[in-house]
Amino acid sequence: MQSPLDLTIASVLLFLSIALLAPILSFRQKYLVTISFVASALASLLAAAAGFLCVANGSTGSMTLPIGLPDLPFYISLDPLSGFFILLVALLGFIVSIYSIEYVQAFTARRSVTPLVVFYCLFMAGMLLVLISADAYFFMVSWELMAVSSFFLVCFEDDHPSNRRAAYIYLLMAHIGAIFILISFGLMAGFAKGFEDFSGFSFQAIRSSQFPHGWASIAFLLAFFGFAAKAGIFPLHAWLPEAHPAAPSNVSALMSGAMLKTAVYGMLRVSFDLLEITDWWWGGVVLVFGLLSAIMGVIYALMQNDLKRLLAYSSVENVGIIFVCIGLAMIFTSFQMGLLASLALIAGLYHSLNHAMFKGLLFMGAGAIIHSTHQRNMEHMGGLIHKLKWTAPLFLVGCLSIAGLPPFNGFVSEWLTFQSFLLSPALPSGLLNLLIPLGAALLALTAALAARCFVKVYGVSFLGQWRSNQQVQVHEVAWPMRLGMLLAASACLGLGVFPTYVLGWMDIIPEGLIGTKISLSAAESGWLWLTPVAADRASYSAPLVFFGLFAIILSVYVIFRSRTTPVRRAPAWDCGFGYVTSRMQYSSTSFSMPTRRLYGFLFNIKESVKSGVNPYFPMFNNRFLYHLKIRDRVWHILYKPFSDAAFWLARRASRLQHGKIQLYLLYSFITLIALLVFS
Amino acid sequence: MREGLYPVLIECLQVMTVLIGAPLFAGWIKALKCWSQGRSSAGLLQPFRDLSRLFIKETVLAENASWIFTATPYIVFGSAVVAGAIIPVLSVDLPLSAMADIIALVAIFAIARFFLALAGMDTGTAFGGMGSSREMMIGSLTEPAVLMSVFTVSLVSSSTSLSHMAHVLTSHTIELRPSLAFALMSFVMIALAETGRIPVDNPSTHLELTMIHEAMVLEYSGRHLALIEWANMMKLFLFAALGIACFFPWGIAGANEIWMLPAAVLLLVLKLALIGVFIVFIETMFAKMRIFRVPEFLGMSFLLATLGMISFFILES
Amino acid sequence: MSTSFAAEINSVLAALILLTSFGLLVQRRIYGLLHIFAWQGLLLSISTAIVGYTAGLHHLYISALLTLTIKVIVLPYILYLLIHRLRIHKEVEDMINIPTTMLIGIILVILSYHLMSPIRELSTLVTRSTLAVALATVMLGLLMMITRKKAVTQIIGFLAMENGLFFAATSATYGMPLVIELGVALDILIAAFIFGIFFFQIRTTFETLDLKAMEKLKEEE
């Protein structure tokens, strides 16, 4: 039995080799797609096994590669925290690779998919390398690999100018974040071993050194800013809703499900492992920004009509929830309350895994819808439940999971989060005791708004009648796509119905980071009952709820169906108002109207209605023109001033460029004299 | 959790009580309302007659209704029964009460609301979508208020498990606690919103543009409609039972107290009768609010629950 | 009645006073404002009487009676007359909407609790927990003055602030000396009269009591 570290390295090497060998097969696109995605599914499976074993056994391992800088070779290490995220990334990668076998075929008609295949494998390799790197330099190299390969994936369909612009914004934000992370690592390394010595960059050196108090806070804030930019925390989220829709759906699934979690991993690694959490306001900052992202993300999502943009904003919301859990864990840690901190941390990690599964499922479903209907705008869809007989129930599972309804997985992580919030009165600080429950109420609002959002998504795209004037032949997608979605849906159900097993498996992670396990109390009443702190405090039995619901629904169905009166079909009644057309249904814009009324002050909304009058009967209107424009205020308030300032500085600096050769020679001459004088 | 037949018996007795008590409670409210308006009522058993009539009738489906439309009545009814198995109505010694605490209970009601909203959008009519949109808006606004209310109550009993909460309140001496009083006021407002009574929604309206819950079930008929109506009555009954369990649990039989059961039934009937009077009082005194005044109403209930929490920390600890 | 029972009743009354302060913030009708203000005065006088009974300080009974007469009967009646004579529009207009005002109010209550917690540790009185409620009432009265557009609501906000100060005096030091109480009560009455006279004058000059019209008083640049 190989060690998990060896398995992971083997998987990375396999990905890199697929990327290298893919151009050889590029003349036969069909075989290229099938072979490379089957191989990448295999590689993901290897890594997933490695991650699972690592967490189950609590094993650690490390290695030093012979490449790298003179004083600083590349260090690799594996511990349960990395193992968990490796499982997450690789499991999603496995499912998406199976899905891609059929999905990518559709692109071969219009362009060569070799770049897609190559950069896909490089992307997966980059993510896995980020998770196992153990020194700052290798971390940044893998981070760059991940960012650049995903850039090429986002602008894969570069014939649309909007895709190019989205990719540009994405690369810009990724690099801004990377610079902040680099400065933070530099600070930490500098205090570890001094600014002259490169070996301070290794994580082991940083871990074992003490930091002066103020500098640790600055390093934390810089790292938080950098990782938040990558994770899509408000207000640095603007690249997410541009980049994720521009990419092909399988790539969006990976970016949303896996790449955002590498930022979460980075955050956890820096705050819990490398720095010691001493101040409660660190956790407070993370909590506040997480809450802001959660609430703003879901409200933005409610306003969208484009399916993939909506899912991207929903990712902003879920990453916000994960950061809320992490912030709470940090607050509890700073007050030395180990059990509560472990509970909050496990809630955050569980939510990361759940999000990867259900967001992957939703993006894959969106890809299936777009593949069959060639529409991205929900206003033009409807009635798909009759045509897409497999996608519809699987997409419903995704919607139920993300809305946080039992017995699926979204509910378990939400329940654990609320339990850790409800335990906050144990904190010694009176002010925090009052403010944290307000945060819990905001989180409850977010969860309810997310349920509303996904009723809208499912109701407008799948139910009702077809809303567009164009008639499109819609047919169900092929078996690899269905299999991928089915695997993700089963993972959602499994994670929801057996939380005690998952908690028992995961529990070694907080033990390593904080020092306390919760599974002793969590499973003390047996595998059926999830009792995080004590049995009479709160308990939830997912298998019983699932079984109970299923049994009762089935028995009611059998009892009442036993009458043999057949069901008759007739036109919809609609209170007898007569002829009902598909344009009379509620569309996506109308469903979100109450949201615009209540929360519209957060946006720049311009709504106008113009009506045309019937010339013969002036009192009757015969035409209505409704115009709605919604803009994100963050662009105007935050991004535009910064980009304007940057351009202004650049224009000032460009005065140095005159085009005259003599001036350039003068510059070199002055520099030479200065060096000779001041050397 | 005790072994033996007693817990199973209690569980079955409770589910039977919920199933049969819900139409009775609805009948009592309708009869009271008639009496208060000087009309003669159709009797306490009228809901039973309505349900049996609906079960016998033919079920008609719209042409483009899908499997979600047909599955929703069963899901809604099933979740109401599961909720009925969790809330302690007669006895605290309920084995399945540990299956879900109050947060999970709210989520089980949310499943029913989710599927009803989907069913409203399924037939492709204008009113269905309107009902779904409004119902989800109200549902999203009650969630923070419910959480704050639950949080305040759980501060007093340091638990979110329903039977434990009831047990703690019965075993302590009666104290004046402003936090619980505020949480109770907030809970009443939330219950009115969730069960669709005046002043949030008029359950007996005939004007489609004023409907919220009715608009979603406009296309249902026959046994489907019977199941949904029954589940609605059960929801009202269960919210009343939830309020009793959290705020007035005296009378619910404790653990191992079989001899308390007849007294528990009697006290339950008395409390529900009083709650019926209270509901009819509100329905007669107030009119239905405009839909965009409902956020202010629910904001007020959130405020009350937060005041309850603040009072706990300021005044009681 | 025992000390702990008196403390419990005092807590309930304090909670109800806090509720009335929020009620003043969210009320939309002017007559409703008067009614809530009267209730606040009533609760205040009952609380003062109970504190007087528990601590054995008989001058607090006189304070309670004074509060009852002035704040529950005289002042609301004067304000009612004002509203009736000036034919003021019966609805309250606000500058920021009601849910936001409620949220700001909640934050202010939490802030006042946080500010008062060190004093709470040190005090030995029966009424030590209610000091935070008193400060919150003052702040909410000030919030009401800031976020409302009509002049009459500003008076009620000012009077609510005074209620809060009175409650703070009862909680912190078992009431002020009687002379000071009488002086403050007289000041309030006179203030109400002067407000009334000014309102008639403003009404004659501007034809309205809306504060927006009074912005014209600043110099044009």
Side-chain angles (χ1 to χ4, degrees):
Chain A
M1 175 61 93
Q2 302 282 41
S3 78
L5 186 60
D6 294 332
L7 282 175
T8 319
I9 296 180
S11 164
V12 170
L13 286 173
L14 186 52
F15 273 120
L16 288 173
S17 40
I18 302 174
L20 271 173
L21 297 172
I24 301 179
L25 275 174
S26 61
F27 58 93
R28 280 289 218 172
Q29 296 274 295
K30 193 154 169 293
Y31 290 150
L32 169 70
V33 168
T34 321
I35 294 177
S36 46
F37 281 109
V38 167
S40 67
L42 263 160
S44 313
L45 203 56
L46 273 176
F52 181 78
L53 284 171
C54 174
V55 178
N57 301 335
S59 58
T60 54
S62 54
M63 209 157 105
T64 313
L65 293 179
I67 42 179
L69 296 177
D71 256 341
L72 182 67
F74 285 165
Y75 290 105
I76 299 183
S77 90
L78 189 66
D79 65 349
L81 181 64
S82 308
F84 177 79
F85 281 97
I86 289 178
L87 171 72
L88 195 158
V89 168
L91 186 59
L92 188 61
F94 174 65
I95 296 177
V96 171
S97 303
I98 295 182
Y99 175 85
S100 310
I101 296 176
E102 177 58 36
Y103 182 73
V104 178
Q105 291 283 8
F107 287 100
T108 55
R110 271 174 295 151
R111 43 159 37 94
S112 158
V113 296
T114 319
L116 181 62
V117 170
V118 168
F119 287 112
Y120 181 94
C121 297
L122 283 177
F123 184 47
M124 287 294 299
M127 284 197 283
L128 289 173
L129 282 174
V130 164
L131 294 171
I132 58 174
S133 53
D135 73 275
Y137 184 62
F138 191 30
F139 187 89
M140 293 312 298
V141 166
S142 336
W143 194 261
E144 255 330 279
L145 178 63
M146 193 175 77
V148 169
S149 46
S150 50
F151 164 75
F152 282 112
L153 285 171
V154 167
C155 64
F156 173 65
E157 292 180 88
D158 53 1
D159 41 348
H160 298 292
S162 55
N163 288 352
R164 292 200 295 269
R165 178 175 168 267
Y168 169 69
I169 294 175
Y170 170 56
L171 195 63
L172 188 64
M173 295 297 296
H175 276 108
I176 292 177
I179 292 175
F180 276 92
I181 299 175
L182 188 59
I183 299 178
S184 170
F185 276 135
L187 260 179
M188 288 195 270
F191 281 103
K193 281 276 181 68
F195 285 99
E196 303 280 318
D197 189 356
F198 275 143
S199 69
F201 275 98
S202 73
F203 284 175
Q204 192 52 39
I206 299 178
R207 209 173 278 145
S208 49
S209 60
Q210 290 288 355
F211 295 100
H213 189 72
W215 287 109
S217 303
I218 295 183
F220 169 75
L221 282 174
L222 287 170
F224 174 63
F225 190 86
F227 286 118
K230 186 59 152 190
I233 297 285
F234 189 87
L236 302 165
H237 65 286
W239 60 270
L240 247 173
E242 309 283 336
H244 286 201
S249 301
N250 57 342
V251 172
S252 309
L254 265 184
M255 282 172 72
S256 244
M259 191 181 72
L260 301 182
K261 309 304 181 311
T262 54
V264 173
Y265 162 78
M267 195 67 228
L268 283 173
R269 178 66 75 190
V270 166
S271 36
F272 280 99
D273 198 19
L274 297 180
L275 299 169
E276 268 179 59
I277 303 178
T278 42
D279 297 318
W280 66 264
W281 63 264
W282 289 12
V285 163
V286 176
L287 182 65
V288 166
F289 275 101
L291 267 177
L292 260 177
S293 319
I295 194 96
M296 294 305 285
V298 77
I299 293 179
Y300 282 138
L302 270 167
M303 305 280 189
Q304 301 301 321
N305 294 335
D306 181 335
L307 183 56
K308 287 178 76 171
R309 255 179 105 93
L310 188 147
L311 290 175
Y313 273 117
S314 165
S315 292
V316 171
E317 177 222 339
N318 280 295
V319 167
I321 296 179
I322 298 174
F323 269 68
V324 162
C325 295
I326 294 179
L328 208 58
M330 287 169 76
I331 293 178
F332 283 135
T333 314
S334 64
F335 285 108
Q336 315 289 338
M337 305 171 97
L339 189 61
L340 302 181
S342 307
L343 181 60
L345 184 63
I346 284 207
L349 288 174
Y350 210 125
H351 197 75
S352 313
L353 185 57
N354 288 344
H355 181 239
M357 289 297 111
F358 56 61
K359 197 40 79 68
L361 174 58
L362 286 170
F363 264 113
M364 287 194 280
I369 294 176
I370 298 175
H371 178 87
S372 351
T373 61
H374 305 287
Q375 294 279 3
R376 245 170 67 174
N377 192 343
M378 284 192 290
E379 300 266 21
H380 298 153
M381 300 187 209
L384 291 174
I385 194 169
H386 304 287
K387 307 276 177 59
L388 298 176
K389 292 205 192 327
W390 277 82
T391 312
L394 295 171
F395 199 83
L396 182 64
V397 169
C399 289
L400 285 171
S401 308
I402 200 168
L405 296 176
F408 294 102
N409 55 356
F411 176 67
V412 177
S413 51
E414 199 180 292
W415 190 78
L416 285 170
T417 313
F418 281 132
Q419 288 300 329
S420 46
F421 265 108
L422 293 183
L423 288 166
S424 66
L427 282 173
S429 156
L431 185 63
L432 280 179
N433 276 348
L434 285 172
L435 287 176
I436 291 186
L438 282 180
L442 259 181
L443 204 63
L445 180 64
T446 310
L449 285 174
R452 177 185 166 82
C453 184
F454 282 90
V455 165
K456 175 179 109 151
V457 168
Y458 198 77
V460 169
S461 359
F462 280 93
L463 304 176
Q465 301 168 21
W466 183 253
R467 286 176 174 80
S468 157
N469 284 331
Q470 307 169 300
Q471 289 302 322
V472 181
Q473 282 293 340
V474 178
H475 51 272
E476 182 57 89
V477 293
W479 72 265
M481 289 167 81
R482 280 185 261 162
L483 181 60
M485 291 195 279
L486 185 63
L487 283 171
S490 344
C492 287
L493 188 60
L495 286 170
V497 178
F498 299 110
T500 38
Y501 288 123
V502 178
L503 269 180
W505 169 74
M506 250 197 327
D507 205 21
I508 199 131
I509 305 173
E511 193 182 14
L513 290 178
I514 302 175
T516 331
K517 273 175 160 315
I518 72 166
S519 66
L520 290 169
S521 56
E524 71 178 339
S525 316
W527 69 273
L528 266 186
W529 312 92
L530 182 62
T531 58
V533 180
D536 57 357
R537 164 90 210 188
S539 63
Y540 170 61
S541 167
L544 275 185
V545 168
F546 175 60
F547 177 69
L549 275 172
F550 188 69
I552 291 177
I553 293 174
L554 198 62
S555 44
V556 171
Y557 182 72
V558 162
I559 293 175
F560 291 114
R561 199 75 168 79
S562 61
R563 297 170 176 281
T564 49
T565 48
V567 165
R568 183 166 63 97
R569 291 267 174 174
W573 176 47
D574 201 30
C575 293
F577 272 100
Y579 184 57
V580 174
T581 66
S582 69
R583 286 298 294 153
M584 291 185 194
Q585 301 172 88
Y586 250 53
S587 62
S588 161
T589 320
S590 36
F591 197 92
S592 54
M593 189 275 265
T595 315
R596 281 203 296 280
R597 275 291 286 264
L598 287 175
Y599 306 107
F601 61 91
L602 293 165
F603 300 87
N604 219 330
I605 295 186
K606 289 194 194 65
E607 213 171 350
S608 71
V609 180
K610 287 198 267 272
S611 53
V613 175
N614 190 327
Y616 296 107
F617 299 100
M619 62 202 86
F620 293 114
N621 296 328
N622 66 346
R623 243 179 13 149
F624 282 98
L625 194 68
Y626 176 72
H627 186 79
L628 177 68
K629 186 168 155 151
I630 303 177
R631 244 181 359 144
D632 191 341
R633 280 202 206 272
V634 174
W635 276 107
H636 222 58
I637 298 176
L638 194 64
Y639 295 123
K640 205 156 179 325
F642 273 104
S643 81
D644 286 345
F647 277 116
W648 180 84
L649 269 175
R651 271 197 293 277
R652 284 294 163 99
S654 73
R655 295 225 191 119
L656 284 173
Q657 256 188 335
H658 298 277
K660 290 196 195 147
I661 299 197
Q662 286 96 323
L663 269 169
Y664 292 153
L665 287 173
L666 185 62
Y667 289 154
S668 318
F669 190 52
I670 294 178
T671 318
L672 188 61
I673 294 181
L675 281 174
L676 284 173
V677 169
F678 294 113
S679 65
Chain B
M1 268 135 306
R2 280 190 64 210
E3 304 300 327
L5 210 50
Y6 174 66
V8 179
L9 266 171
I10 286 283
E11 194 67 54
C12 294
L13 184 63
Q14 164 138 332
V15 174
M16 280 291 120
T17 315
V18 173
L19 280 174
I20 300 181
L24 261 178
F25 187 53
W28 165 246
I29 292 181
K30 285 208 184 94
L32 268 182
K33 198 161 179 192
C34 287
W35 291 336
S36 72
Q37 292 171 352
R39 298 184 271 142
S40 56
S41 72
L44 276 183
L45 300 178
Q46 183 60 24
F48 288 107
R49 292 184 212 122
D50 285 335
L51 283 177
S52 46
R53 170 178 54 98
L54 281 173
F55 274 119
I56 297 176
K57 281 192 157 197
E58 182 190 23
T59 310
V60 180
L61 289 180
E63 276 162 345
N64 61 343
S66 62
W67 54 268
I68 286 194
F69 192 78
T70 40
T72 299
Y74 301 107
I75 296 178
V76 169
F77 188 74
S79 63
V81 171
V82 168
I86 295 175
I87 302 177
V89 175
L90 290 174
S91 161
V92 165
D93 192 9
L94 203 62
L96 286 184
S97 165
M99 185 162 90
D101 68 339
I102 198 166
I103 302 180
L105 185 67
V106 169
I108 291 179
F109 282 126
I111 300 179
R113 185 168 53 228
F114 191 92
F115 274 97
L116 265 178
L118 282 182
M121 299 197 71
D122 193 27
T123 46
T125 61
F127 295 122
M130 181 185 83
S132 306
S133 169
R134 290 176 169 182
E135 176 77 20
M136 292 309 288
M137 173 186 87
I138 293 180
S140 68
L141 290 170
T142 54
E143 287 262 345
V146 164
L147 189 80
M148 263 310 186
S149 228
V150 164
F151 184 59
T152 312
V153 179
S154 78
L155 278 176
V156 173
S157 54
S158 60
S159 155
T160 53
S161 156
L162 280 162
S163 42
H164 192 76
M165 275 200 262
H167 180 71
V168 165
L169 266 181
T170 43
S171 50
H172 282 186
T173 51
I174 300 183
E175 290 178 337
L176 289 171
R177 285 184 175 275
S179 57
L180 277 185
F182 282 134
L184 173 62
M185 279 191 267
S186 167
F187 180 80
V188 165
M189 291 166 88
I190 294 169
L192 287 174
E194 285 257 2
T195 51
R197 315 292 307 182
I198 291 182
V200 175
D201 180 18
N202 188 351
S204 53
T205 182
H206 301 292
L207 305 168
E208 291 84 6
L209 288 175
T210 60
M211 293 177 179
I212 299 178
H213 182 264
E214 300 294 314
M216 290 190 294
V217 300
L218 219 44
E219 302 286 329
Y220 277 111
S221 56
R223 60 172 181 269
H224 293 159
L225 186 58
L227 284 173
I228 291 188
E229 290 289 321
W230 201 350
N232 223 22
M233 294 188 236
M234 283 170 63
K235 191 168 179 183
L236 181 60
F237 184 90
L238 286 171
F239 264 91
L242 188 59
I244 294 176
C246 290
F247 299 103
F248 302 108
W250 303 281
I252 298 185
N256 303 343
E257 290 176 12
I258 309 184
W259 47 271
M260 272 280 287
L261 274 180
V265 172
L266 218 62
L267 276 168
L268 178 73
V269 168
L270 189 63
K271 288 182 205 169
L272 284 177
L274 283 173
I275 291 182
V277 171
F278 178 69
I279 293 181
V280 171
F281 178 70
I282 292 188
E283 296 215 348
T284 328
M285 287 278 294
F286 295 100
K288 185 177 110 72
M289 290 186 291
R290 279 182 52 198
I291 185 91
F292 284 112
R293 289 261 194 263
V294 175
E296 283 175 23
F297 179 76
L298 290 170
M300 191 69 204
S301 89
F302 174 72
L303 176 71
L304 283 169
T306 313
L307 277 179
M309 173 196 80
I310 293 178
S311 314
F312 181 81
F313 284 112
I314 297 183
L315 298 168
E316 288 173 29
S317 65
Chain C
M1 88 180 87
S2 69
T3 322
S4 65
F5 188 56
E8 269 180 34
I9 296 194
N10 219 18
S11 306
V12 171
L13 286 172
L16 286 173
I17 291 178
L18 192 60
L19 187 61
T20 51
S21 321
F22 269 104
L24 284 176
L25 265 184
V26 309
Q27 187 57 245
R28 276 177 183 268
R29 291 165 32 225
I30 291 209
Y31 286 139
L33 276 178
L34 286 184
H35 289 148
I36 296 182
F37 178 67
W39 275 103
Q40 198 175 47
L42 183 66
L43 290 168
L44 214 51
S45 55
I46 296 178
S47 165
T48 317
I50 291 186
V51 172
Y53 179 75
T54 328
L57 295 167
H58 296 291
H59 74 87
L60 282 177
Y61 290 138
I62 307 181
S63 281
L65 203 58
L66 208 58
T67 314
L68 192 65
T69 7
I70 296 188
K71 292 199 183 136
V72 181
I73 303 177
V74 174
L75 275 176
Y77 184 63
I78 295 181
L79 288 168
Y80 172 73
L81 279 182
L82 262 180
I83 294 173
H84 195 63
R85 292 274 173 77
L86 291 172
R87 269 180 279 254
I88 296 177
H89 198 45
K90 302 283 191 308
E91 273 208 358
V92 174
E93 281 159 46
D94 47 13
M95 293 193 341
I96 42 180
N97 63 352
I98 288 187
T100 320
T101 328
M102 278 200 259
L103 259 165
I104 299 179
I106 293 179
I107 306 272
L108 284 174
V109 174
I110 295 181
L111 194 67
S112 57
Y113 169 63
H114 184 62
L115 288 171
M116 283 298 160
S117 47
I119 300 182
R120 218 173 130 233
E121 317 271 312
L122 297 172
S123 164
T124 52
L125 302 176
V126 167
T127 53
R128 63 174 177 273
S129 329
T130 53
L131 201 54
V133 172
L135 183 60
T137 313
V138 173
M139 292 220 213
L140 288 175
L142 192 55
L143 183 66
M144 196 185 147
M145 283 175 77
I146 296 176
T147 57
R148 297 283 177 259
K149 278 191 198 159
K150 287 279 165 57
V152 180
T153 49
Q154 305 239 317
I155 297 189
I156 298 186
F158 167 73
L159 291 171
M161 276 176 75
E162 204 278 331
N163 271 351
L165 281 172
F166 180 76
F167 194 45
T170 326
S171 322
T173 54
Y174 282 161
M176 308 180 265
L178 196 57
V179 177
I180 300 187
E181 293 253 347
L182 284 172
V184 171
L186 195 60
D187 280 336
I188 299 278
L189 267 180
I190 296 183
F193 279 128
I194 296 183
F195 270 123
I197 298 174
F198 261 114
F199 278 175
F200 275 106
Q201 194 58 29
I202 295 174
R203 175 63 174 275
T204 324
T205 319
F206 286 97
E207 302 289 315
T208 172
L209 276 174
D210 199 338
L211 291 173
K212 268 199 116 31
M214 295 185 218
E215 284 171 24
K216 288 195 222 132
L217 286 170
K218 73 172 185 238
E219 279 194 26
E220 297 296 334
E221 280 139 10

